[in-house]
Amino acid sequence: MSEYINCKKNMYVPLKQVIVTFHEKEEVELNAFQKFILEAIEEDATIEQMADATQLTRNVIESELLHMVSQKLLVKDGDYVALSELSKNILMISKSVKMLNAEKRILCFNLVTGEIEGFDKDILNDIGQDDLVMKGKIRSGEIDGISIEDNVTFFADYMSTFDRFSKEQIEKILTSIYAEFNEIDKKIIYKLQEINKLPCLIGDDKLEFESNAYAEGKYSIIAIEVSTDNVEQYREQIENIMVLHTETPELISDLGRDLIKEYENCTEYNKEKMIFVYDHTSGKISEEKHDIMDSQNKRTQLLLTSEKKSDNEIKKQVFIAAQTKWKLDDKYHFKIVDMKEHIYKIGFCLKEL
């Protein structure tokens, strides 16, 4: 469960450019001679033409044709041989691989989500010093783990070669080949993405998510106590007055009794630790300490910006929150007894931003 605040911002997402090349899985191994024969039969070449092209005898060609029939690469119909469905698929896949590689298409890997994206020259954005920029969590070596089977729709839409094939043929081709990705250079490019939310420790909205990134922000844990001006002014004398009240109560003045009463009331209020958490990104305060993600073993993809507030502004905000919860007499006030800054990491899904 992550918390979000409504926040329209521009953010840059890191991408890696790669050139993709395709290879056959070679489920059926063919030698060069067999490939030649399949291509020749597809072009309606005669045995004589095959013999002339290879400088082999007719007997050698006919012997190989019979062997390929037994392998179900060819089918015999009287004195003629034709391509089997198996060999038709083999040729289709072989030709498609050549056409796919001829495209020399550039792809981009989203280094946050691991998704494949098409390359667009507009992706190359200059980043300003104060821009919200994500860091990649996927390293170069992990790019090779991307499979075609998991991205059939993307490749089918992105590669021009598939414009001439049916849906069934595309699926057949993509399940029979694999892709190899080669980095163009070590440079990382960035895609501009408009977002409507920011993840934070304390926000307006909670969403269920599958976290594919972690944001790092700053929060302060602030401890407060209840006090009064009299308790602050006579703090050193209070202990003596209370001892005297126990032993000889008749000697205590009305002011002394009021002071003891105020002190006891403050002590009672302060039995409950009044702890507030202030999130520097959203500028919001909560009296409940949230479950804070351990930041040691998580790699940050997004550094959250902080609200430009001074410590005095934060303290004032805490006092207003405390006064709303504990409606005390005007003589009672709150004071800060501890205020420490910490770092948190919180998971979020990039698509939810």
CSV table of all heavy atoms in Angstrom, one decimal, residues 132-135 198-201 213-219 279-282 292-306 342-348:
chain,number,residue,atom,x,y,z
A,132,LEU,N,12.7,16.5,-12.4
A,132,LEU,CA,12.4,15.3,-11.6
A,132,LEU,C,12.9,14.1,-12.5
A,132,LEU,O,12.3,13.9,-13.6
A,132,LEU,CB,10.9,15.2,-11.3
A,132,LEU,CG,10.5,14.3,-10.2
A,132,LEU,CD1,11.2,14.7,-8.9
A,132,LEU,CD2,9.0,14.3,-10.0
A,133,VAL,N,14.0,13.5,-12.2
A,133,VAL,CA,14.6,12.4,-13.0
A,133,VAL,C,14.6,11.1,-12.3
A,133,VAL,O,15.0,11.0,-11.1
A,133,VAL,CB,16.0,12.8,-13.4
A,133,VAL,CG1,16.6,11.8,-14.4
A,133,VAL,CG2,16.0,14.2,-14.1
A,134,MET,N,14.2,10.0,-13.0
A,134,MET,CA,14.2,8.7,-12.4
A,134,MET,C,15.5,8.0,-12.7
A,134,MET,O,16.2,8.3,-13.7
A,134,MET,CB,13.1,7.9,-12.9
A,134,MET,CG,11.7,8.3,-12.4
A,134,MET,SD,10.4,7.0,-12.7
A,134,MET,CE,10.9,5.9,-11.4
A,135,LYS,N,16.0,7.2,-11.8
A,135,LYS,CA,17.2,6.4,-12.1
A,135,LYS,C,16.7,5.0,-12.5
A,135,LYS,O,15.8,4.4,-11.9
A,135,LYS,CB,18.0,6.3,-10.8
A,135,LYS,CG,18.6,7.6,-10.4
A,135,LYS,CD,19.5,7.5,-9.2
A,135,LYS,CE,20.1,8.8,-8.8
A,135,LYS,NZ,21.0,8.6,-7.6
A,198,LEU,N,2.5,12.0,-7.0
A,198,LEU,CA,3.8,11.6,-6.5
A,198,LEU,C,3.6,10.7,-5.3
A,198,LEU,O,2.8,10.9,-4.4
A,198,LEU,CB,4.6,12.8,-6.0
A,198,LEU,CG,5.4,13.6,-7.1
A,198,LEU,CD1,6.1,14.8,-6.4
A,198,LEU,CD2,6.4,12.6,-7.7
A,199,PRO,N,4.4,9.6,-5.2
A,199,PRO,CA,4.4,8.7,-4.0
A,199,PRO,C,5.0,9.5,-2.8
A,199,PRO,O,5.9,10.3,-3.0
A,199,PRO,CB,5.2,7.5,-4.4
A,199,PRO,CG,6.1,8.1,-5.4
A,199,PRO,CD,5.4,9.2,-6.2
A,200,CYS,N,4.5,9.2,-1.7
A,200,CYS,CA,5.1,9.8,-0.5
A,200,CYS,C,4.8,9.0,0.8
A,200,CYS,O,4.0,8.0,0.7
A,200,CYS,CB,4.7,11.3,-0.3
A,200,CYS,SG,2.9,11.5,-0.1
A,201,LEU,N,5.3,9.4,1.9
A,201,LEU,CA,5.0,8.7,3.1
A,201,LEU,C,3.6,9.0,3.6
A,201,LEU,O,2.8,8.2,4.0
A,201,LEU,CB,6.0,9.1,4.2
A,201,LEU,CG,5.9,8.4,5.5
A,201,LEU,CD1,6.2,6.9,5.4
A,201,LEU,CD2,6.8,9.0,6.6
A,213,ALA,N,9.2,0.2,-8.6
A,213,ALA,CA,10.3,1.3,-8.4
A,213,ALA,C,10.1,1.7,-6.9
A,213,ALA,O,9.1,1.5,-6.3
A,213,ALA,CB,10.1,2.4,-9.3
A,214,TYR,N,11.2,2.4,-6.5
A,214,TYR,CA,11.1,2.9,-5.1
A,214,TYR,C,11.5,4.4,-5.1
A,214,TYR,O,12.5,4.8,-5.8
A,214,TYR,CB,12.1,2.2,-4.2
A,214,TYR,CG,11.5,0.8,-3.7
A,214,TYR,CD1,11.6,-0.3,-4.5
A,214,TYR,CD2,10.8,0.8,-2.5
A,214,TYR,CE1,11.0,-1.5,-4.1
A,214,TYR,CE2,10.3,-0.4,-2.1
A,214,TYR,CZ,10.4,-1.5,-2.9
A,214,TYR,OH,9.8,-2.7,-2.5
A,215,ALA,N,10.8,5.2,-4.4
A,215,ALA,CA,11.1,6.6,-4.2
A,215,ALA,C,11.7,6.8,-2.9
A,215,ALA,O,11.3,6.2,-1.9
A,215,ALA,CB,9.8,7.4,-4.4
A,216,GLU,N,12.6,7.8,-2.8
A,216,GLU,CA,13.2,8.1,-1.6
A,216,GLU,C,12.9,9.6,-1.2
A,216,GLU,O,13.0,10.5,-2.0
A,216,GLU,CB,14.8,8.0,-1.7
A,216,GLU,CG,15.5,8.3,-0.4
A,216,GLU,CD,17.0,8.1,-0.6
A,216,GLU,OE1,17.4,7.0,-0.9
A,216,GLU,OE2,17.8,9.1,-0.4
A,217,GLY,N,12.4,9.7,0.1
A,217,GLY,CA,12.0,11.0,0.6
A,217,GLY,C,12.5,11.2,2.0
A,217,GLY,O,13.2,10.4,2.6
A,218,LYS,N,12.2,12.4,2.5
A,218,LYS,CA,12.7,12.7,3.8
A,218,LYS,C,11.5,12.9,4.8
A,218,LYS,O,10.4,13.5,4.3
A,218,LYS,CB,13.5,14.0,3.8
A,218,LYS,CG,14.2,14.4,5.1
A,218,LYS,CD,15.2,15.5,4.9
A,218,LYS,CE,14.7,16.8,4.4
A,218,LYS,NZ,15.7,17.8,4.3
A,219,TYR,N,11.6,12.5,6.0
A,219,TYR,CA,10.5,12.7,7.0
A,219,TYR,C,11.2,13.1,8.3
A,219,TYR,O,12.3,12.8,8.5
A,219,TYR,CB,9.6,11.5,7.1
A,219,TYR,CG,10.2,10.3,7.8
A,219,TYR,CD1,10.0,10.0,9.2
A,219,TYR,CD2,11.1,9.4,7.1
A,219,TYR,CE1,10.5,8.9,9.8
A,219,TYR,CE2,11.6,8.3,7.7
A,219,TYR,CZ,11.4,8.1,9.1
A,219,TYR,OH,11.9,7.0,9.7
A,279,ASP,N,6.0,14.6,6.6
A,279,ASP,CA,6.5,14.2,5.3
A,279,ASP,C,7.0,15.5,4.6
A,279,ASP,O,6.2,16.3,4.3
A,279,ASP,CB,5.5,13.4,4.5
A,279,ASP,CG,6.0,13.1,3.1
A,279,ASP,OD1,7.1,12.6,3.0
A,279,ASP,OD2,5.2,13.3,2.2
A,280,HIS,N,8.3,15.5,4.2
A,280,HIS,CA,8.8,16.7,3.6
A,280,HIS,C,8.4,16.9,2.2
A,280,HIS,O,8.5,18.0,1.6
A,280,HIS,CB,10.3,16.7,3.7
A,280,HIS,CG,10.9,16.9,5.1
A,280,HIS,ND1,11.4,18.1,5.5
A,280,HIS,CD2,10.9,16.1,6.2
A,280,HIS,CE1,11.8,18.0,6.8
A,280,HIS,NE2,11.5,16.8,7.2
A,281,THR,N,7.9,15.8,1.5
A,281,THR,CA,7.5,15.9,0.1
A,281,THR,C,6.1,16.5,0.0
A,281,THR,O,5.8,17.4,-0.8
A,281,THR,CB,7.5,14.5,-0.5
A,281,THR,OG1,8.9,14.1,-0.5
A,281,THR,CG2,7.0,14.6,-2.0
A,282,SER,N,5.2,15.9,0.8
A,282,SER,CA,3.8,16.4,0.7
A,282,SER,C,3.5,17.5,1.6
A,282,SER,O,2.5,18.3,1.4
A,282,SER,CB,2.8,15.2,1.1
A,282,SER,OG,3.0,14.8,2.4
A,292,ILE,N,7.3,2.4,7.7
A,292,ILE,CA,8.3,3.0,6.8
A,292,ILE,C,9.2,1.9,6.2
A,292,ILE,O,9.7,1.0,6.9
A,292,ILE,CB,9.1,4.0,7.7
A,292,ILE,CG1,8.2,5.1,8.2
A,292,ILE,CG2,10.3,4.6,6.8
A,292,ILE,CD1,8.8,6.0,9.2
A,293,MET,N,9.4,2.0,4.9
A,293,MET,CA,10.2,1.0,4.2
A,293,MET,C,11.6,1.1,4.6
A,293,MET,O,12.2,2.1,4.6
A,293,MET,CB,10.0,1.2,2.7
A,293,MET,CG,10.7,0.1,1.8
A,293,MET,SD,9.8,-1.5,2.0
A,293,MET,CE,8.2,-1.0,1.3
A,294,ASP,N,12.2,-0.1,4.9
A,294,ASP,CA,13.6,-0.1,5.2
A,294,ASP,C,14.4,0.3,3.9
A,294,ASP,O,14.3,-0.3,2.9
A,294,ASP,CB,14.0,-1.6,5.6
A,294,ASP,CG,15.5,-1.7,6.0
A,294,ASP,OD1,16.2,-0.6,6.0
A,294,ASP,OD2,15.9,-2.8,6.2
A,295,SER,N,15.2,1.3,4.1
A,295,SER,CA,15.9,1.9,2.9
A,295,SER,C,17.2,1.2,2.6
A,295,SER,O,17.8,1.5,1.6
A,295,SER,CB,16.1,3.4,3.1
A,295,SER,OG,17.0,3.5,4.2
A,296,GLN,N,17.7,0.2,3.3
A,296,GLN,CA,19.0,-0.3,3.1
A,296,GLN,C,19.1,-1.2,1.9
A,296,GLN,O,20.1,-1.2,1.2
A,296,GLN,CB,19.4,-1.1,4.4
A,296,GLN,CG,19.6,-0.2,5.6
A,296,GLN,CD,20.1,-1.0,6.8
A,296,GLN,OE1,20.2,-2.2,6.8
A,296,GLN,NE2,20.4,-0.3,7.9
A,297,ASN,N,18.1,-2.0,1.6
A,297,ASN,CA,18.2,-3.0,0.6
A,297,ASN,C,17.4,-2.7,-0.7
A,297,ASN,O,17.1,-3.5,-1.5
A,297,ASN,CB,17.8,-4.4,1.1
A,297,ASN,CG,18.7,-4.8,2.3
A,297,ASN,OD1,19.9,-4.6,2.2
A,297,ASN,ND2,18.1,-5.4,3.3
A,298,LYS,N,17.0,-1.5,-0.8
A,298,LYS,CA,16.2,-1.1,-1.9
A,298,LYS,C,16.9,0.0,-2.7
A,298,LYS,O,17.4,1.0,-2.1
A,298,LYS,CB,14.8,-0.5,-1.5
A,298,LYS,CG,13.9,-1.6,-0.7
A,298,LYS,CD,13.6,-2.7,-1.6
A,298,LYS,CE,12.7,-3.7,-0.8
A,298,LYS,NZ,12.3,-4.9,-1.6
A,299,ARG,N,16.9,-0.1,-4.0
A,299,ARG,CA,17.6,0.8,-4.9
A,299,ARG,C,16.6,1.9,-5.3
A,299,ARG,O,15.6,1.7,-5.8
A,299,ARG,CB,18.2,0.1,-6.1
A,299,ARG,CG,19.1,1.0,-7.0
A,299,ARG,CD,19.6,0.2,-8.1
A,299,ARG,NE,20.4,1.0,-9.0
A,299,ARG,CZ,20.7,0.6,-10.2
A,299,ARG,NH1,20.3,-0.6,-10.7
A,299,ARG,NH2,21.4,1.4,-11.0
A,300,THR,N,17.0,3.2,-5.0
A,300,THR,CA,16.1,4.3,-5.3
A,300,THR,C,16.0,4.6,-6.8
A,300,THR,O,17.1,4.7,-7.5
A,300,THR,CB,16.6,5.5,-4.5
A,300,THR,OG1,16.6,5.2,-3.1
A,300,THR,CG2,15.7,6.7,-4.8
A,301,GLN,N,14.8,4.8,-7.3
A,301,GLN,CA,14.6,5.2,-8.7
A,301,GLN,C,14.2,6.7,-8.8
A,301,GLN,O,14.3,7.3,-9.8
A,301,GLN,CB,13.6,4.3,-9.4
A,301,GLN,CG,14.1,3.0,-9.9
A,301,GLN,CD,14.2,2.0,-8.8
A,301,GLN,OE1,13.3,1.7,-8.1
A,301,GLN,NE2,15.4,1.5,-8.6
A,302,LEU,N,13.7,7.2,-7.7
A,302,LEU,CA,13.2,8.6,-7.7
A,302,LEU,C,13.5,9.3,-6.4
A,302,LEU,O,13.1,8.8,-5.4
A,302,LEU,CB,11.7,8.5,-8.0
A,302,LEU,CG,10.9,9.9,-8.0
A,302,LEU,CD1,11.5,10.7,-9.2
A,302,LEU,CD2,9.4,9.7,-8.2
A,303,LEU,N,14.2,10.4,-6.5
A,303,LEU,CA,14.5,11.2,-5.3
A,303,LEU,C,13.4,12.3,-5.3
A,303,LEU,O,13.2,13.1,-6.2
A,303,LEU,CB,15.8,11.9,-5.5
A,303,LEU,CG,17.1,11.0,-5.3
A,303,LEU,CD1,18.3,11.8,-5.6
A,303,LEU,CD2,17.1,10.3,-3.9
A,304,LEU,N,12.6,12.2,-4.2
A,304,LEU,CA,11.5,13.2,-4.0
A,304,LEU,C,12.0,14.5,-3.5
A,304,LEU,O,12.9,14.6,-2.7
A,304,LEU,CB,10.5,12.6,-3.0
A,304,LEU,CG,9.9,11.2,-3.4
A,304,LEU,CD1,9.0,10.7,-2.3
A,304,LEU,CD2,9.0,11.4,-4.7
A,305,THR,N,11.4,15.6,-4.1
A,305,THR,CA,11.7,16.9,-3.7
A,305,THR,C,11.1,17.3,-2.4
A,305,THR,O,10.0,16.7,-2.0
A,305,THR,CB,11.3,17.9,-4.8
A,305,THR,OG1,9.9,17.7,-5.1
A,305,THR,CG2,12.1,17.7,-6.1
A,306,SER,N,11.6,18.2,-1.6
A,306,SER,CA,11.1,18.6,-0.3
A,306,SER,C,10.4,19.9,-0.4
A,306,SER,O,10.7,20.8,-1.2
A,306,SER,CB,12.2,18.7,0.7
A,306,SER,OG,12.9,17.4,0.9
A,342,HIS,N,14.8,11.8,9.0
A,342,HIS,CA,15.1,10.4,8.6
A,342,HIS,C,14.8,10.3,7.1
A,342,HIS,O,14.2,11.2,6.5
A,342,HIS,CB,14.2,9.4,9.3
A,342,HIS,CG,14.4,9.4,10.8
A,342,HIS,ND1,15.3,8.7,11.5
A,342,HIS,CD2,13.7,10.1,11.7
A,342,HIS,CE1,15.2,9.0,12.8
A,342,HIS,NE2,14.2,9.8,13.0
A,343,ILE,N,15.3,9.2,6.5
A,343,ILE,CA,15.1,8.9,5.1
A,343,ILE,C,14.1,7.7,5.0
A,343,ILE,O,14.3,6.8,5.7
A,343,ILE,CB,16.4,8.6,4.3
A,343,ILE,CG1,17.3,9.8,4.3
A,343,ILE,CG2,16.1,8.2,2.9
A,343,ILE,CD1,16.8,11.0,3.6
A,344,TYR,N,13.1,7.8,4.1
A,344,TYR,CA,12.3,6.7,3.9
A,344,TYR,C,12.3,6.3,2.4
A,344,TYR,O,12.6,7.1,1.5
A,344,TYR,CB,10.8,6.9,4.3
A,344,TYR,CG,10.1,7.9,3.5
A,344,TYR,CD1,9.4,7.6,2.3
A,344,TYR,CD2,10.0,9.3,3.9
A,344,TYR,CE1,8.7,8.5,1.5
A,344,TYR,CE2,9.3,10.2,3.2
A,344,TYR,CZ,8.7,9.8,2.0
A,344,TYR,OH,8.0,10.8,1.2
A,345,LYS,N,12.0,5.0,2.1
A,345,LYS,CA,11.8,4.6,0.7
A,345,LYS,C,10.4,3.9,0.6
A,345,LYS,O,10.0,3.2,1.5
A,345,LYS,CB,12.9,3.6,0.3
A,345,LYS,CG,14.2,4.3,0.2
A,345,LYS,CD,15.2,3.4,-0.6
A,345,LYS,CE,16.5,4.2,-0.7
A,345,LYS,NZ,17.5,3.4,-1.5
A,346,ILE,N,9.7,4.3,-0.4
A,346,ILE,CA,8.3,3.8,-0.6
A,346,ILE,C,8.1,3.2,-2.0
A,346,ILE,O,8.6,3.9,-2.9
A,346,ILE,CB,7.3,4.9,-0.2
A,346,ILE,CG1,5.9,4.3,-0.1
A,346,ILE,CG2,7.4,6.0,-1.2
A,346,ILE,CD1,4.9,5.2,0.6
A,347,GLY,N,7.5,2.1,-2.1
A,347,GLY,CA,7.3,1.5,-3.4
A,347,GLY,C,6.2,2.1,-4.1
A,347,GLY,O,5.2,2.5,-3.5
A,348,PHE,N,6.3,2.1,-5.5
A,348,PHE,CA,5.2,2.6,-6.3
A,348,PHE,C,5.2,2.0,-7.7
A,348,PHE,O,6.2,1.4,-8.0
A,348,PHE,CB,5.2,4.2,-6.4
A,348,PHE,CG,6.4,4.7,-7.2
A,348,PHE,CD1,6.3,5.0,-8.5
A,348,PHE,CD2,7.7,4.8,-6.6
A,348,PHE,CE1,7.4,5.5,-9.3
A,348,PHE,CE2,8.8,5.3,-7.3
A,348,PHE,CZ,8.6,5.6,-8.6
